[in-house]
């Protein structure tokens, strides 16, 4: 039904007016991690959440239950560092308080910013187990998001950097391949936008081991490869050469003996729309996004992942009718799948004292025609 649609102007989550994304990373001297923030408009955005993995690291997800008091959030914090990285959200809260954004508590200066968050497991990948994001990472990501707002135009922020940046800096997937940060958007027939930002870091694989093709590639829209770091202009995807596939399989087998301690994982992200939704509908948006995750990563939602998605609705456009909401949920799954594919293609190879994670482009160079 939605295959003839096109991405928004930047093919990223900031095609939802009012949202801004910022990231900060630290690499080297034992570090390979970072944090990313999605800032809502100053008045906040209606939000919901969905947790499917068996090992989640989250904060404020209970608050998103439609039965509870608070119905808007002011930012979503996404970070590396496993449970330690939840501290990044503290910096996001303090930064928002300084901007005068938060849930009102009776006086102009008495605000509580609402910042749900989730983390990926990337501990030790840079060489040091204790090299994890803290509140300074969250504040720095907010500053980067504010710069994106300041340099954008017409109420839209500048698009985020993709690949091995921010919360995706230490991301990886099965087979010793690099993960990272990906984003995608689509404009629906009623004019509303649905978009996703995903931090790819999975126990499972994004690549079919029989062919070397990306599981989610069939969901790509025209132009999805344009502008990605390292991807030549005009490139398209094709089945890689058999010798590259065999070499990748051999490397995956070689890594198998040490895979478990290196592949505790979690893929996290945000699915957003500019339509007007209630909290329960925002949660459905996140739930449908999880379908897209399962299309692009096999296996998904394992006991060693903490797969978590947040749904955001900024309310800049009217509420959809039942058919429009159905199309919105269908699009939510597709934009998550496309964001995961784009994260896989945008990520560069990384080598640290703990090992080497090759980019998809390096492992399967013939796939980009």
């Amino acid at each position: 039904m939605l295959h003839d649609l096109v991405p928004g102007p930047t093919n990223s989550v900031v095609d939802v007016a009012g949202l801004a994304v910022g990231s900060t990373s630290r690499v080297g001297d034992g570090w390979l991690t970072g944090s990313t923030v999605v800032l809502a408009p100053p008045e906040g955005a209606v939000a919901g959440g969905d947790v499917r993995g068996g090992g989640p690291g989250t904060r404020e997800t209970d608050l998103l239950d439609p039965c509870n008091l608070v119905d808007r959030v002011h930012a979503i914090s996404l970070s590396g560092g496993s449970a330690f990285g939840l501290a990044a959200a503290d910096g996001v809260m303090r930064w928002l308080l300084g901007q005068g954004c938060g849930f009102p508590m009776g006086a102009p200066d008495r605000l509580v910013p609402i910042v749900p968050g989730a983390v990926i497991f990337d501990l030790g990948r840079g060489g040091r187990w204790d090299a994890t994001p803290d509140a300074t990472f969250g504040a720095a990501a907010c500053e980067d998001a504010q710069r994106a707002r300041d340099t954008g135009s017409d109420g839209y922020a500048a698009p985020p950097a993709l690949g091995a940046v921010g919360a995706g800096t230490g991301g990886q997937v099965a087979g010793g391949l690099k993960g990272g940060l990906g984003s995608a958007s689509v404009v629906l027939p009623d004019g509303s936008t649905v978009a996703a930002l995903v931090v790819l870091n999975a126990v499972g694989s994004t690549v079919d081991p029989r062919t070397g093709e990306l599981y989610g590639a069939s969901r790509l829209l025209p132009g999805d490869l344009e502008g990605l770091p390292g991807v030549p202009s005009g490139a398209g995807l094709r089945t890689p050469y058999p010798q590259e596939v065999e070499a990748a399989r051999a490397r995956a087998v070689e890594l198998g003996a040490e895979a478990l301690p290196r592949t505790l994982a979690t893929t996290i992200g945000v699915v957003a729309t500019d339509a007007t939704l209630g909290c329960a509908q925002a949660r459905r948006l996140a739930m449908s996004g999880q379908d897209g995750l399962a299309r692009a990563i096999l296996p998904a939602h394992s006991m060693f992942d903490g797969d978590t998605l947040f749904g955001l609705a900024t309310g800049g456009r009217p509420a959809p009718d039942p058919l429009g909401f159905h199309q919105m949920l269908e699009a939510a799954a597709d934009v998550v799948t496309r964001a995961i594919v784009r994260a896989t293609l945008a990520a560069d190879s990384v080598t640290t004292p703990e090992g080497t994670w090759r980019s998809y482009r390096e492992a399967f160079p013939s796939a980009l025609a």
Side-chain angles (χ1 to χ4, degrees):
M1 185 184 301
L2 300 180
H3 302 313
D4 294 332
L5 302 182
V6 296
T10 72
N11 203 6
S12 76
V13 74
V14 301
D15 289 335
V16 175
L19 299 185
V21 176
S23 291
T24 187
S25 308
R26 188 166 175 184
V27 178
D29 296 326
W31 291 78
L32 186 68
T33 192
S35 296
T36 296
V37 67
V38 179
L39 293 182
E43 67 275 15
V46 173
D50 188 69
V51 180
R52 297 283 175 98
T58 59
R59 65 175 266 162
E60 299 279 41
T61 50
D62 284 351
L63 175 146
L64 301 178
D65 189 310
C67 296
N68 292 334
L69 172 66
V70 176
D71 64 352
R72 286 179 174 265
V73 305
H74 301 94
I76 300 292
S77 175
L78 308 172
S79 186
S82 188
F84 298 104
L86 291 171
D90 296 340
V92 178
M93 285 189 69
R94 294 290 179 183
W95 187 89
L96 286 166
L97 182 63
Q99 302 295 310
C101 293
F103 187 79
M105 301 299 292
D109 60 340
R110 295 188 176 184
L111 303 168
V112 179
I114 306 300
V115 184
V119 292
I120 69 167
F121 185 100
D122 59 4
L123 294 178
R125 290 183 186 156
R128 280 178 49 192
W129 189 261
D130 63 344
T132 58
D134 57 16
T136 65
F137 278 65
C142 288
E143 290 291 341
D144 189 51
Q146 186 59 52
R147 285 191 292 271
R149 273 189 174 150
D150 293 342
T151 57
S153 61
D154 299 324
Y156 293 87
L162 303 182
V165 297
T169 300
Q172 57 113 75
V173 293
L177 294 180
K178 191 72 185 72
L181 195 67
S183 196
S185 71
V186 69
V187 180
L188 298 182
D190 66 1
S192 60
T193 296
V194 178
L197 181 79
V198 176
V199 183
L200 172 61
N201 182 60
V203 165
S205 178
T206 57
V207 180
D208 186 333
R210 300 165 300 177
T211 65
E213 295 172 298
L214 292 167
Y215 287 122
S218 66
R219 312 307 296 185
L220 293 180
L221 294 180
D224 269 348
L225 272 60
E226 291 299 318
L228 290 177
V231 176
S233 179
L237 281 174
R238 66 181 181 188
T239 303
Y241 293 152
Q243 57 267 36
E244 293 171 0
V245 177
E246 183 55 40
R249 279 201 298 258
R251 188 168 190 268
V253 170
E254 181 183 341
L255 293 173
E258 54 179 338
L260 184 58
R262 292 178 59 176
T263 57
L264 295 173
T266 293
T267 295
I268 57 179
V270 170
V271 188
T273 182
D274 52 6
T276 298
L277 301 180
C279 292
Q281 291 176 307
R283 183 178 180 185
R284 294 298 307 187
L285 200 68
M287 292 168 68
S288 292
Q290 295 276 18
D291 295 340
L293 189 155
R295 291 174 187 163
I297 303 170
L298 272 70
H301 311 139
S302 80
M303 291 301 292
F304 302 105
D305 291 289
D307 298 337
T308 299
L309 293 178
F310 299 97
L312 291 180
T314 60
R317 295 184 60 84
D321 61 20
L323 176 59
F325 188 54
H326 170 79
Q327 292 177 329
M328 193 168 289
L329 298 182
E330 183 180 348
D334 279 353
V335 292
V336 169
T337 297
R338 291 167 49 219
I340 289 170
V341 172
R342 298 184 83 223
T344 304
L345 293 172
D348 291 321
S349 301
V350 171
T351 297
T352 77
E354 287 296 299
T356 294
W357 293 270
R358 294 193 302 168
S359 70
Y360 180 81
R361 303 191 313 270
E362 180 184 341
F364 303 98
S366 65
L368 289 164

